[in-house]
Amino acid sequence: MSSAVEPSPLGQDLLRVTDVSAIPAEPPPELFYHHRAGMLASAKRLWAHREIIFTLAERDFRAQYKQATLGILWALLSPVLTLVIMIAVFSRAKSFGTEGIPFALFSFVGILCWSFFASALGTGGNSLLSNKALLAKTQFPRECFPLETMGVTAINTVLSWIPLVILFVIFGRAPAVATLWAPLFMVLEVAFAAGVTMAVAGLIIQMRDLVQVLPVIISLGLFVNPVIWPLSKLSEPSVPKFVLPLYCFVNPLGPVIDNVRRTMLLGFEPNWYLVGIATLGALFYLVVGYRLFKRLEVSFADIA
Amino acid sequence: MPTLPNGSIQVEQVWKRFRADLTAPLFYDQLKRLRHSIGPGRRNYRWVLKDINLEVEPGASVALIGINGSGKTTLLKVISQVTYQTAGYCNVRGRIGALLSITSGLHPDLTGRENVFLYGTVLGMSRQAIRKKFDEIVEFADLETAINRQVKFYSVGMQMRLGFSVAAFLEPDVLLVDEVLAVGDANFQQKCLQRIGEIVRQGTTLLYVSHDLASVEASCDRAVWLADAVIQAQGPTKDVVRMYRTAVEHNAMLVTANDGELRVLKAEVKATDGGQIRSDCDVEVILTVNARESLDGNFFIGVSQGTAFPMFVVYQHGTLPEGDFEIRCVLNHIPLPKGRYSIWAAMVGSKNSPYMPWNPVISFEAFGPDQFRPPEGVMILTPIYVKADWQVN
C-alpha cells in the first residue's frame, strides 16, 4: 500500500475559475449516491463509538435529577408511588386470576417489565427529535441516540426493581431459585425494545404525526400485555390454538412477562416453547428495526 | 481510487439537494400538497450544491467563502458526513473534527466539568484523552472555579470559551470550522485564531468557513468561493478573495436604488496629479448627481474593500440645489495599500431621513507597496497604509 499521493495535476497555486454555464441542471443519474450501510459494518462502527452512548446516557441520567431536592432518590421513589396507585386502583377491579400470587406482587412484576419497554419506546422514539441540535452538527452513528435513551431507561428500571424487595418482605415470600433465568428474558426484552425503538425513532422524523400517536399506542400497550392478566388466559380452550404462538411472536414482551413471573414468583422452569417463539420475534424486530433505521438515516440531519 | 494519505479531503462531483416543500404543518396545506403530487409536475427540489470538486492535501488550510445561503455549511456537513450527498463521491481520510457549532453540544443543566467530557466525546475524543487534557482545556477556557458550576449559569462568552477549548484539544487529522468565531469578544477571537494557527502548523488539514475576509486572509493559503451552489473559483486566497469582493461590489451596484430624492448619474475617481492612484496620494472623487428638490443634510463618502462596511468615512453638511450638479471631494493622503477598493456614498437629511441610501458608486485600483504581513496568528482587520520611520538606539 503506497501512502504517497500524486500531486494534483491542476496545481494548487493556480486560480481556477469554474465555467458555470457548463454545469448541467441535474447530476447524471449514475452519479446518484446510494446509502449502503450493512448490518455488520454498522454494528462494528457502533461498537467503536460505544463511549458516546455511555456519555450521552450519563448526561441524561445526571440532568434528569439535577436541581431536584431528593435527587437520585426519585429513581427509587417514583416506581413505589406507581405501585401504590396500581394497587389502589386494580385491587378493587375484577381480578383476572393471578395464579395464586398476591395481586400486588403479580402486577408489580408485570409493571416493571412493561415500564422498561414503555419508557424506552417513549423517550427513545423521540430521541432523534430531542437531540436535533447534536444530530445536525455531529457525525457519530445515529443509533447512539435511541440506544442512549434506552441505557438511561435501563438504569432507572434496575433501580426500580429495588422496591420489589419491599413487596417480597410484606408478603413473606422470597424469589425462587429459577429467578436466575431472568437475565435471559431481559436480554430478549432489550432486543425487542431496541428494534421497535429504532424503527419508531427513524419513522418519527419522516412522519411527525407519530409524535402525537405514540403516547396513545404506549398507553394501550399496558392492556395488550399480560400486566394485570395472566398469559394463561390465551391458552384457555375457548381461544383458537394458533393465537398464543402468534401473540408471542408479534409481542415477545408477553411471554417475557409471563416467564419472569413463572420463574421468580412460582419457581417453575421457563416455558421454553414460548421463550423460543419470543426469541424469534425479538430477533425479527431487532433486525428489521435496525435495517429500517439505517435506511432512513440518510435524511435525518436534513429534515430533523 | 488511489490511497490517500491521512488528512486529505477529496470531493468529486458532489451534488446535494433539499426538498423545497418541507414544512406543511397544517392539514389544509397537506391536502394542497396531496393534490399537487397527484397532478402533473414532479417533486420540488432545490439544489444547494452543484458539481463540487475539491481536493485538499494534508496540512493545507483552505477557506470557504461566499454569501449567506451559498452552500458553505452544507458542503462542510457533507465532508464531515453529518449529512449525505445526493450524488457524487466524497472521501476524507483520517479523524474528522467538525466544529460546526460551538455550543450546541453543551447541556445547560450539567456542570462545566461534565460538559467537557460530554462535548469532548461527542466531538470524537476518547474519555481517556479528555481526562489527560482536562487541566489544559480548563486553563485555555479560563474558567477556573466556574468549571463546577452548571453551564446554564455561564455567560454566553463563557459557554463559547468552554466549547471552543474542548474542540481546540481534539487533535483531528482534518479540522472543519464553521463560522463559530463570529460572536465573542476580540480577545477570544484572537485566542481562537492563534490556536487554529497552531493546530495547522502541527500538520492538521483545515477547512474554514468565514465571512470575515481579514481572518481568512490571515489563516488560509487557499480559498474556495461558493455562490449559487457552485464553486465559482478556487486558488490562492488573495486572488479568490479579490474576485469575491468584486462580485459583492458588483451585486451591490446592481441594486442601487433609482427612485431616491438624490441620484448619482456619473462617478469618477482619479489622482489629483492626473497619474495612477498610489498609496498616500491625493484622490479626487467627482460625482454628477441629480436632486429632485433642494436638499439639506449630510453627504457621506466612504471607502471600502467591496463590502458595505467602509474603512473610513468623510462627510460634509450642506444644502444642495435642485437639478443636476457636481460634487467634488478631495481625499488627502489616502492611507490605502495596494488593492481594489470601492467608493460608497449616501445622503441623510436632518431628520435622519435618507435622501440617498448607502450605495457603492464606483471602484478603483490603488497601486503602491504590498501590505506588510503581521506576525502569524494576528490578523489585520482593516488594511491601512501608514508610512513608518524606524530608529533603533
Side-chain angles (χ1 to χ4, degrees):
Chain A
M1 196 181 84
S2 82
S3 64
V5 67
E6 291 171 291
S8 154
L10 290 156
Q12 41 177 302
D13 295 315
L14 280 167
L15 177 68
R16 278 182 280 158
V17 181
T18 313
D19 177 12
V20 178
S21 60
I23 295 177
E26 293 211 342
E30 72 275 7
L31 208 60
F32 271 87
Y33 171 75
H34 297 286
H35 189 57
R36 277 186 209 92
M39 286 269 288
L40 207 66
S42 308
K44 253 189 202 158
R45 187 157 172 257
L46 179 63
W47 177 249
H49 286 83
R50 61 191 181 280
E51 271 198 339
I52 289 184
I53 301 183
F54 297 135
T55 307
L56 288 177
E58 190 189 333
R59 167 196 76 171
D60 287 349
F61 190 73
R62 280 178 190 266
Q64 192 177 8
Y65 301 113
K66 272 264 155 87
Q67 284 196 328
T69 321
L70 294 182
I72 213 159
L73 267 181
W74 277 112
L76 295 177
L77 276 176
S78 46
V80 173
L81 292 178
T82 321
L83 173 68
V84 170
I85 293 169
M86 285 303 282
I87 293 174
V89 173
F90 286 113
S91 59
R92 281 149 203 253
K94 182 172 161 256
S95 176
F96 295 99
T98 56
E99 295 163 339
I101 307 163
F103 181 76
L105 212 48
F106 178 86
S107 60
F108 193 59
V109 169
I111 287 171
L112 285 177
C113 293
W114 160 246
S115 69
F116 170 75
F117 182 83
S119 60
L121 181 57
T123 56
N126 286 310
S127 58
L128 292 179
L129 287 179
S130 49
N131 283 297
K132 240 184 241 179
L134 276 184
L135 193 65
K137 307 279 180 193
T138 52
Q139 72 230 33
F140 54 81
R142 272 60 182 97
E143 54 269 35
C144 286
F145 292 115
L147 294 181
E148 164 257 315
T149 57
M150 283 189 64
V152 180
T153 309
I155 302 170
N156 284 332
T157 305
V158 167
L159 289 174
S160 58
W161 280 89
I162 294 172
L164 188 64
V165 178
I166 308 171
L167 278 186
F168 273 119
V169 173
I170 291 176
F171 290 103
R173 281 164 170 258
V177 186
T179 305
L180 292 174
W181 287 109
L184 169 72
F185 308 132
M186 293 302 105
V187 170
L188 282 184
E189 182 172 353
V190 167
F192 174 48
V196 176
T197 303
M198 281 194 283
V200 169
L203 286 171
I204 228 168
I205 296 275
Q206 324 279 331
M207 291 180 278
R208 295 296 162 87
D209 310 67
L210 275 179
V211 178
Q212 313 300 327
V213 180
L214 190 59
V216 181
I217 295 176
I218 289 177
S219 58
L220 272 181
L222 179 62
F223 304 101
V224 171
N225 281 289
V227 174
I228 52 171
W229 50 275
L231 193 63
S232 54
K233 281 270 173 223
L234 291 183
S235 44
E236 278 172 7
S238 60
V239 182
K241 269 261 179 286
F242 69 90
V243 171
L244 183 63
L246 183 67
Y247 175 84
C248 290
F249 183 80
V250 174
N251 176 27
L253 188 55
V256 162
I257 295 176
D258 183 60
N259 277 290
V260 170
R261 279 195 196 123
R262 276 175 71 90
T263 54
M264 187 179 285
L265 302 179
L266 299 174
F268 297 153
E269 280 284 292
N271 183 338
W272 290 114
Y273 169 57
L274 295 184
V275 171
I277 296 177
T279 309
L280 287 180
L283 277 178
F284 171 78
Y285 278 106
L286 184 63
V287 171
V288 170
Y290 196 30
R291 289 198 80 108
L292 183 64
F293 187 87
K294 292 309 273 186
R295 164 132 344 157
L296 293 173
E297 78 175 351
V298 189
S299 60
F300 284 171
D302 294 342
I303 60 178
Chain B
M1 197 172 281
T3 344
L4 295 165
N6 252 8
S8 48
I9 304 171
Q10 195 178 37
V11 176
E12 257 178 68
Q13 292 178 283
V14 159
W15 295 66
K16 173 83 185 168
R17 70 183 174 197
F18 286 133
R19 253 159 51 194
D21 53 350
L22 274 182
T23 49
L26 295 173
F27 187 58
Y28 174 72
D29 294 334
Q30 297 278 12
L31 282 180
K32 222 165 58 180
R33 202 177 63 172
L34 204 67
R35 234 185 14 241
H36 273 286
S37 58
I38 293 168
R42 301 230 319 278
R43 234 214 195 109
N44 222 354
Y45 289 113
R46 188 165 49 90
W47 290 99
V48 287
L49 290 178
K50 283 178 172 182
D51 197 31
I52 302 294
N53 291 285
L54 181 66
E55 223 169 283
V56 183
E57 300 75 28
S61 53
V62 177
L64 282 178
I65 55 177
I67 56 168
N68 287 334
S70 52
K72 305 185 296 289
T73 302
T74 309
L75 181 54
L76 275 198
K77 282 187 177 179
V78 168
I79 289 174
S80 62
Q81 282 147 30
V82 168
T83 181
Y84 300 88
Q85 67 270 31
T86 309
Y89 312 96
C90 180
N91 197 358
V92 183
R93 277 307 162 98
R95 234 161 61 114
I96 306 172
L99 197 49
L100 299 181
S101 152
I102 207 163
T103 53
S104 70
L106 302 178
H107 193 293
D109 282 336
L110 300 181
T111 65
R113 177 184 302 274
E114 290 162 340
N115 264 304
V116 168
F117 281 91
L118 170 65
Y119 198 40
T121 331
V122 160
L123 286 176
M125 271 194 212
S126 72
R127 295 180 74 111
Q128 202 189 349
I130 303 170
R131 253 193 298 277
K132 234 162 72 190
K133 299 250 170 67
F134 186 82
D135 293 334
E136 272 179 273
I137 292 173
V138 176
E139 199 193 310
F140 187 84
D142 212 2
L143 286 172
E144 292 162 9
T145 53
I147 197 71
N148 289 320
R149 208 183 300 158
Q150 276 180 308
V151 162
K152 64 179 165 193
F153 299 124
Y154 281 24
S155 70
V156 176
M158 286 162 85
Q159 291 184 13
M160 292 193 24
R161 289 211 303 268
L162 181 68
F164 184 85
S165 308
V166 176
F169 290 91
L170 191 55
E171 295 183 350
D173 299 312
V174 177
L175 181 64
L176 311 173
V177 183
D178 184 10
E179 191 92 59
V180 288
L181 312 177
V183 264
D185 59 29
N187 250 336
F188 175 70
Q189 282 191 6
Q190 188 60 47
K191 206 171 168 183
C192 294
L193 283 173
Q194 251 166 29
R195 179 67 199 168
I196 289 177
E198 249 169 67
I199 293 172
V200 170
R201 248 169 289 137
Q202 285 163 11
T204 302
T205 313
L206 174 71
L207 205 52
Y208 180 62
V209 166
S210 182
H211 286 293
D212 180 3
L213 297 179
S215 80
V216 162
E217 283 181 312
S219 47
C220 299
D221 27 78
R222 268 173 72 200
V224 175
W225 167 32
L226 271 168
D228 302 328
V230 173
I231 292 186
Q232 303 286 339
Q234 54 178 312
T237 308
K238 251 173 86 178
D239 299 340
V240 177
V241 166
R242 192 189 314 123
M243 278 187 76
Y244 172 61
R245 281 196 171 121
T246 314
V248 168
E249 180 187 308
H250 179 71
N251 279 345
M253 282 194 201
L254 286 181
V255 300
T256 302
N258 266 331
D259 55 348
E261 269 92 358
L262 190 69
R263 287 184 300 148
V264 175
L265 303 175
K266 203 174 128 237
E268 200 185 333
V269 55
K270 59 178 190 190
T272 45
D273 59 8
Q276 285 179 328
I277 297 177
R278 295 171 321 278
S279 305
D280 210 32
C281 78
D282 298 345
V283 170
E284 184 166 32
V285 182
I286 306 159
L287 303 175
T288 311
V289 295
N290 168 277
R292 277 193 206 153
E293 55 199 274
S294 176
L295 301 170
D296 181 72
N298 292 328
F299 196 88
F300 294 85
I301 286 179
V303 174
S304 91
Q305 283 187 298
T307 61
F309 303 111
M311 300 156 63
F312 64 85
V313 165
V314 294
Y315 84 96
Q316 177 67 40
H317 182 91
T319 307
L320 300 180
E322 194 186 326
D324 294 1
F325 54 91
E326 245 180 30
I327 298 176
R328 286 167 176 265
C329 173
V330 175
L331 303 167
N332 293 307
H333 301 285
I334 48 156
L336 301 177
K338 190 168 121 184
R340 203 174 165 76
Y341 302 94
S342 55
I343 293 187
W344 293 56
M347 182 158 179
V348 180
S350 52
K351 273 170 275 159
N352 244 349
S353 50
Y355 294 136
M356 185 172 82
W358 184 241
N359 271 318
V361 289
I362 191 172
S363 59
F364 65 92
E365 192 93 29
F367 298 88
D370 261 320
Q371 204 196 344
F372 295 114
R373 289 187 70 86
E376 200 164 48
V378 176
M379 64 179 196
I380 291 179
L381 288 174
T382 305
I384 296 263
Y385 169 80
V386 175
K387 234 169 153 181
D389 294 318
W390 294 76
Q391 227 176 352
V392 180
N393 293 326

